[in-house]
Amino acid sequence: MIRKETVYRIGRIGKPHGVDGEVSFHFDDDVFDRTDAEYLILDVDGILVPFFMDEYRFKNDETALVKFCDITTQDQARQLTGADVYFPREHAEADDGQLSWAQIVGFSVRDAETGKVVGEIHSVDDSTINTLFELVTPEGDDLLIPATDELISDINTEERIIEMNLPEGLLSL
């Protein structure tokens, strides 16, 4: 059984493409291409299930058309529509030593000066030139923190903690 903490979300399955079971796959992280993955993990009714890929091709920078093994009809493909797609953390971390924004969702952010956990990364907003970590604090509040190399002092992938040198007053904004 695949545990949720061993994978991270990389996208979502869209509509069927054609009649032979091919589906559109809208992705946030192209790790499946960089690591020559044989399978993707789909959330099917709350259960994480590996689906082996026959082939895929890129439609654009955010969408691929994927043909999974044993999915041979449009009806079978339609049943996958809307499924979240995950990738094993262990395979991604072996990639090139670089973490993608999608990989760090779920990591805790700790203040390097106080050692206190500031919050957990809920998502990363990279839609503007200033990338932001969107955190949920231990109190349940939302918090935005700049995601810059200058502020990040350490990343521990085993403990899933990002240590940051946060400027004084940033947490009280």
Side-chain angles (χ1 to χ4, degrees):
M1 184 168 176
I2 300 170
R3 297 186 342 262
K4 196 97 169 192
E5 58 272 3
T6 64
V7 297
Y8 70 99
R9 186 181 179 282
I10 62 168
R12 180 177 288 248
I13 299 294
K15 296 178 182 178
H17 183 81
V19 295
D20 295 327
E22 193 172 48
V23 295
S24 61
F25 167 39
H26 308 286
F27 58 88
D28 303 319
D29 187 337
D30 67 351
V31 66
F32 65 97
D33 185 52
R34 294 190 321 264
T35 60
D36 293 326
E38 294 180 8
Y39 64 93
L40 297 173
I41 298 168
L42 277 58
D43 184 334
V44 179
D45 299 326
I47 299 170
L48 298 177
V49 180
F51 280 78
F52 286 84
M53 296 183 285
D54 270 340
E55 60 185 7
Y56 64 88
R57 64 187 190 279
F58 289 96
K59 187 173 181 182
N60 57 44
D61 289 345
E62 300 170 348
T63 306
L65 300 175
V66 180
K67 177 73 175 89
F68 291 113
C69 297
D70 301 324
I71 303 295
T72 59
T73 68
Q74 187 176 27
D75 287 338
Q76 289 173 320
R78 188 174 293 116
Q79 292 176 6
L80 301 177
T81 300
D84 284 330
V85 180
Y86 294 86
F87 196 78
R89 288 186 184 279
E90 66 179 2
H91 296 308
E93 290 165 4
D95 176 22
D96 60 5
Q98 296 283 352
L99 293 174
S100 68
W101 292 130
Q103 280 176 270
I104 63 169
V105 170
F107 277 42
S108 294
V109 172
R110 182 169 57 201
D111 186 340
E113 186 175 320
T114 65
K116 178 184 172 196
V117 172
V118 176
E120 183 177 299
I121 298 173
H122 182 267
S123 64
V124 178
D125 180 356
D126 62 351
S127 61
T128 65
I129 195 165
N130 298 316
T131 302
L132 299 170
F133 290 148
E134 298 177 6
L135 305 179
V136 176
T137 67
E139 296 79 28
D141 298 322
D142 293 330
L143 181 65
L144 297 174
I145 293 182
T148 65
D149 289 339
E150 294 82 30
L151 296 180
I152 297 172
S153 59
D154 186 46
I155 299 176
N156 184 326
T157 56
E158 284 186 23
E159 294 183 27
R160 299 181 63 198
I161 294 175
I162 297 176
E163 194 165 82
M164 298 184 74
N165 295 309
L166 300 173
E168 190 173 324
L170 179 70
L171 299 178
S172 59
L173 293 177

